[in-house]
Amino acid sequence: MIPTIEWDAKTRTVKLIDQTKLPGHLEYITASTHAEIGRIIKNMNIRGAPAIGVAAAFGMVLAAQENQNQNFEHFIKSMHQAANLLKNTRPTAINLFWAIKRMLKIIPAEKSDIEQITERLLEEALQMWQEDINCNKAIGKHGASLLSDNDVVLTHCNAGSLATVLYGTALAPIRWAIEEEKKKIEVIADETRPRLQGARLTAWELNYDKIPVKIETDNTAGLLMRKGLVQKIIVGADRIVSDAVFNKIGTYMLAIVAKYHNIPFYVAAPSSTLALEQKESDVIIEQRDGQFEVAKIMGIATKPIAPNGVECINFAFDATPMELVTAIITEDGVFSPKELLAHYL
Amino acid sequence: MIPTIEWDAKTRTVKLIDQTKLPGHLEYITASTHAEIGRIIKNMNIRGAPAIGVAAAFGMVLAAQENQNQNFEHFIKSMHQAANLLKNTRPTAINLFWAIKRMLKIIPAEKSDIEQITERLLEEALQMWQEDINCNKAIGKHGASLLSDNDVVLTHCNAGSLATVLYGTALAPIRWAIEEEKKKIEVIADETRPRLQGARLTAWELNYDKIPVKIETDNTAGLLMRKGLVQKIIVGADRIVSDAVFNKIGTYMLAIVAKYHNIPFYVAAPSSTLALEQKESDVIIEQRDGQFEVAKIMGIATKPIAPNGVECINFAFDATPMELVTAIITEDGVFSPKELLAHYL
């Protein structure tokens, strides 16, 4: 396991794994401005709600560094501009807004020393970085109690170490069960069209850490469940509202199919993903470029798979209603949908 | 609409659309030997259960032509060898075995004129060709009665004109409703991983015939159903047994998700697809090369989407139990699963 994102104290820059190069090559990007962080989030060199949150926090640190020599008023204005730029990179990930809000709170309203504010912002970002790792390990520990020896666990997209700073959310219980509890667990990763994060990222990170993993096309999950080859499903979440879980497109179908087979369907996510004051109908689902992501398979296809002029529908996320969710695993424990509301509202 | 396969009476060869070149280019292959037909079926230049059946029938005609100058005994032996070669190309399509059996029945046991037998084989193959078109139009007429004006119909894989000689099976009711009944129908085509026949073929043939079509990734179907954007589902079948429908991988999940949304799930297939004396557990599902079809997206990916050394599970078909099927449409009418058994057994 390698951290997805790190602060380089010497150069005061941010070092990130370039996830668009996986699974072929492990390469890093260094960012020294908040605009670079914005581009990196938008282009999905980094992705995964928790990782995006921490990246945005470091982006705010970089913005402060960029504005060291401004007067205080201009500094404040620049910081809010930076916050807006970062907020406009991805519309669905709640952690992004949460992280930026938390960073903005650090900045005092009354005139203060900019250098000191910058250091406080850095401390806060580093704390969020560490909190993410601690949080994921707690999710892992709570979630591992749901896994039995010899379970085959199906997951969708990548809610692994690469979606967080380290350790992952949906993959955390699997990691904990294997590493801390010595259970034998195998993983099946949905390839996860259109961006193929399951095949490219989940399979890569588990294989890198020698955890047994196989890839399937998303539409194979039903057959494997029917054959009794899947015992549990764990997915991550981009946003959890009072009545639904927003996660990568395809999660909803997987949850329906799990229910049909009486297979437990778990959602593992930090409590920062919770937006329980909202409901399913409040959330606008991001639609992305279907000609690029679907027809050209994100540029890796030598020829488009769709005929010229035919629209490719491309919703990035879907909503899974709580009636299909067996339990939600956060850093605070394992909760039924009802218990989740009672605990956090 | 263009026939997928045709007999060229002048050159006594078989002319087929090369479906591996779609949707980019409309190209043809000419086959003059049964071995070429075997390779064409195996390499899936032609695919779709009914089209494969007719291709195999023409393959038997070509085999007879190749053995005009043999003695009768050797001719018989060669014809059975050809039958075996053709039968071993694809394991799941029942029409393949059905077509070859029908052709073998033409060949008399007692010594007869080889040229005459060859002409009888050609007549039989041409009759099967015409029967397929008639059959599909009958499926279209029966199935169209299930469609309402302004329906959006979701389909999986390609059970269209390109899967048959002409007109299609799952797409036949849509064609009939639009062309003969002047209903307004729109189609959503699952891209259908791993071989992407929905994006490449279904979208191509509907777009070619100016029928409105959009493509979605297979895992988007649930979201569209939840949004109320799909009224009916029609799929084809590779084999229908007493308790299940075998069709392209992903059909099963689609059927479960349709049931969850109370959306009718129809299977359209010629009665030659029926194998009602069999049951789900009798059928072995073809597993294909996951490194090629899944990881390299059938060779169109410039780089593999899976890390080196990770297995890609790749079942070609799945079984949908009859409890999820609203009705089966054949050339003889529309049947509930129970009625189907009563009518055909």
Side-chain angles (χ1 to χ4, degrees):
Chain A
M1 244 184 312
I2 321 159
T4 299
I5 180 167
E6 275 184 294
W7 177 255
D8 185 325
K10 259 189 241 164
T11 57
R12 297 186 66 91
T13 57
V14 183
K15 186 184 164 196
L16 315 99
I17 296 178
D18 183 356
Q19 302 196 21
T20 63
K21 298 285 162 59
L22 293 174
H25 305 279
L26 177 59
E27 288 178 21
Y28 294 88
I29 310 179
T30 301
S32 54
T33 68
H34 76 279
E36 284 175 86
I37 293 285
R39 269 196 303 276
I40 283 164
I41 296 173
K42 202 175 181 111
N43 297 340
M44 300 177 73
N45 303 91
I46 193 169
R47 24 66 53 203
I52 287 174
V54 173
F58 282 125
M60 293 296 286
V61 177
L62 295 176
Q65 283 184 176
E66 291 165 59
N67 289 286
Q68 287 296 295
N69 303 319
Q70 307 286 357
N71 65 44
F72 186 72
E73 244 174 70
H74 198 282
F75 174 81
I76 295 292
K77 204 179 149 195
S78 298
M79 289 306 288
H80 279 96
Q81 281 172 346
N84 283 333
L85 180 145
L86 290 166
K87 267 196 268 185
N88 284 322
T89 50
R90 294 283 305 278
T92 309
I94 195 81
N95 303 53
L96 181 65
F97 312 127
W98 170 86
I100 293 166
K101 201 171 159 188
R102 184 163 155 186
M103 293 299 279
L104 284 174
K105 268 192 194 156
I106 300 295
I107 305 171
E110 65 282 9
K111 197 167 184 255
S112 337
D113 182 68
I114 290 179
E115 210 182 304
Q116 268 185 13
I117 299 173
T118 306
E119 287 317 298
R120 267 296 292 122
L121 286 168
L122 176 58
E123 272 170 36
E124 191 74 8
L126 286 171
Q127 196 181 320
M128 286 162 73
W129 185 90
Q130 186 60 54
E131 279 173 13
D132 182 58
I133 299 175
N134 298 346
C135 169
N136 297 339
K137 293 203 169 177
I139 290 172
K141 190 175 179 178
H142 293 304
S145 67
L146 303 167
L147 300 182
S148 307
D149 203 26
N150 295 314
D151 271 355
V152 176
V153 181
L154 175 61
T155 189
H156 189 70
C157 197
N158 176 263
S161 184
L162 288 168
T164 61
V165 173
L166 203 75
Y167 213 75
T169 55
L171 300 189
I174 296 164
R175 292 184 177 282
W176 192 279
I178 292 173
E179 289 161 19
E180 308 294 329
E181 300 178 354
K182 310 298 169 204
K183 288 174 185 162
K184 187 178 164 296
I185 308 281
E186 288 184 15
V187 180
I188 291 172
D190 269 354
E191 65 169 3
T192 319
R193 279 284 280 152
R195 297 188 67 93
L196 301 162
Q197 297 96 329
R200 294 194 300 109
L201 307 178
T202 297
W204 182 84
E205 70 165 87
L206 293 175
N207 192 52
Y208 187 90
D209 290 332
K210 304 201 187 330
I211 295 174
V213 60
K214 290 177 187 168
I215 295 166
E216 65 169 2
T217 57
D218 304 324
N219 58 21
T220 301
L223 177 144
L224 295 191
M225 289 189 225
R226 188 164 184 86
K227 282 179 178 287
L229 299 175
V230 172
Q231 279 69 53
K232 312 274 159 67
I233 297 172
I234 311 181
V235 299
D238 289 82
R239 190 185 301 199
I240 298 175
V241 299
S242 60
D243 56 353
V245 172
F246 285 85
N247 192 45
K248 185 60 50 194
I249 188 76
T251 303
Y252 176 44
M253 285 180 73
L254 204 54
I256 296 168
V257 173
K259 181 101 172 180
Y260 182 75
H261 293 94
N262 284 315
I263 292 173
F265 185 87
Y266 300 118
V267 176
S271 60
S272 59
T273 313
L274 301 175
L276 299 177
E277 71 289 358
Q278 300 180 347
K279 53 186 194 304
E280 182 184 344
S281 54
D282 295 334
V283 181
I284 295 161
I285 294 179
E286 184 180 357
Q287 285 181 266
R288 299 181 62 90
D289 181 353
Q291 285 307 316
F292 179 69
E293 296 195 351
V294 179
K296 292 184 187 144
I297 313 181
M298 304 154 50
I300 68 167
T302 51
K303 48 186 180 184
I305 62 159
N308 239 332
V310 173
E311 182 186 332
C312 295
I313 298 167
N314 189 23
F315 287 94
F317 303 97
D318 60 26
T320 298
M322 284 299 181
E323 66 168 31
L324 299 173
V325 176
T326 310
I328 296 110
I329 310 158
T330 76
E331 69 275 23
D332 301 315
V334 177
F335 304 95
S336 72
K338 212 172 173 179
E339 289 165 350
L340 188 82
L341 293 177
H343 189 270
Y344 288 105
L345 262 191
Chain B
M1 245 184 309
I2 321 160
T4 299
I5 181 166
E6 274 184 294
W7 176 255
D8 187 325
K10 259 188 242 167
T11 57
R12 296 186 68 91
T13 57
V14 182
K15 187 184 163 195
L16 315 98
I17 296 178
D18 184 355
Q19 303 195 21
T20 64
K21 298 287 163 57
L22 294 174
H25 304 279
L26 176 58
E27 287 178 20
Y28 293 88
I29 311 179
T30 301
S32 53
T33 68
H34 76 280
E36 285 176 86
I37 293 286
R39 269 197 302 277
I40 283 165
I41 296 173
K42 202 175 181 111
N43 296 342
M44 300 177 74
N45 303 91
I46 194 168
R47 24 67 54 203
I52 287 175
V54 172
F58 283 124
M60 291 297 285
V61 177
L62 296 176
Q65 283 185 174
E66 291 165 58
N67 289 285
Q68 288 296 295
N69 303 320
Q70 307 285 356
N71 65 46
F72 187 71
E73 246 173 69
H74 197 280
F75 174 81
I76 295 294
K77 204 179 149 195
S78 298
M79 290 306 288
H80 280 95
Q81 280 173 345
N84 283 333
L85 181 145
L86 291 166
K87 267 196 268 185
N88 284 322
T89 49
R90 294 285 303 279
T92 308
I94 193 80
N95 302 53
L96 181 65
F97 312 129
W98 171 85
I100 292 167
K101 201 170 159 189
R102 184 162 155 184
M103 294 299 278
L104 284 175
K105 269 192 196 157
I106 300 294
I107 304 173
E110 66 281 9
K111 194 167 186 251
S112 336
D113 183 68
I114 292 179
E115 211 182 304
Q116 268 185 11
I117 300 173
T118 307
E119 287 316 297
R120 265 297 290 125
L121 287 168
L122 176 58
E123 271 170 37
E124 191 74 7
L126 286 172
Q127 196 181 321
M128 286 162 73
W129 185 90
Q130 185 60 52
E131 279 173 14
D132 182 58
I133 299 175
N134 297 347
C135 170
N136 297 340
K137 292 204 169 176
I139 290 172
K141 189 175 179 179
H142 293 304
S145 67
L146 303 166
L147 301 182
S148 307
D149 204 27
N150 294 315
D151 271 355
V152 176
V153 180
L154 175 60
T155 189
H156 189 69
C157 196
N158 175 263
S161 184
L162 288 168
T164 61
V165 173
L166 202 75
Y167 213 75
T169 56
L171 299 190
I174 296 163
R175 290 185 179 280
W176 191 278
I178 293 173
E179 289 161 19
E180 308 293 330
E181 300 178 350
K182 309 299 169 203
K183 287 174 184 162
K184 189 178 162 294
I185 307 282
E186 288 184 15
V187 180
I188 292 173
D190 269 355
E191 64 169 3
T192 319
R193 279 285 280 153
R195 297 188 67 93
L196 301 162
Q197 297 95 329
R200 293 194 301 108
L201 306 179
T202 297
W204 183 84
E205 69 165 86
L206 293 175
N207 193 50
Y208 187 89
D209 290 332
K210 304 200 184 335
I211 295 173
V213 60
K214 291 177 186 170
I215 294 166
E216 65 170 1
T217 58
D218 303 325
N219 59 21
T220 302
L223 176 143
L224 295 192
M225 289 190 226
R226 189 165 183 85
K227 283 179 177 284
L229 300 175
V230 172
Q231 279 70 51
K232 312 275 159 63
I233 297 173
I234 311 180
V235 299
D238 288 83
R239 191 184 300 199
I240 299 175
V241 299
S242 62
D243 55 352
V245 172
F246 285 85
N247 191 46
K248 186 60 51 194
I249 188 74
T251 303
Y252 176 43
M253 287 180 71
L254 203 54
I256 296 168
V257 173
K259 181 100 171 180
Y260 182 76
H261 293 93
N262 282 316
I263 291 172
F265 185 87
Y266 300 117
V267 176
S271 60
S272 59
T273 313
L274 301 174
L276 299 178
E277 71 289 357
Q278 300 181 347
K279 53 187 196 300
E280 182 183 347
S281 54
D282 295 332
V283 181
I284 295 162
I285 294 178
E286 182 181 357
Q287 284 182 268
R288 300 180 62 90
D289 180 354
Q291 286 307 316
F292 179 69
E293 296 196 350
V294 180
K296 292 184 186 143
I297 312 181
M298 306 155 48
I300 67 167
T302 51
K303 47 187 180 183
I305 61 159
N308 240 331
V310 173
E311 182 187 332
C312 295
I313 298 167
N314 189 23
F315 288 94
F317 303 96
D318 60 25
T320 299
M322 283 300 180
E323 68 169 29
L324 299 173
V325 176
T326 310
I328 296 110
I329 309 158
T330 76
E331 69 275 23
D332 301 317
V334 177
F335 305 95
S336 72
K338 213 172 173 179
E339 289 166 348
L340 189 81
L341 293 178
H343 189 270
Y344 287 104
L345 264 190

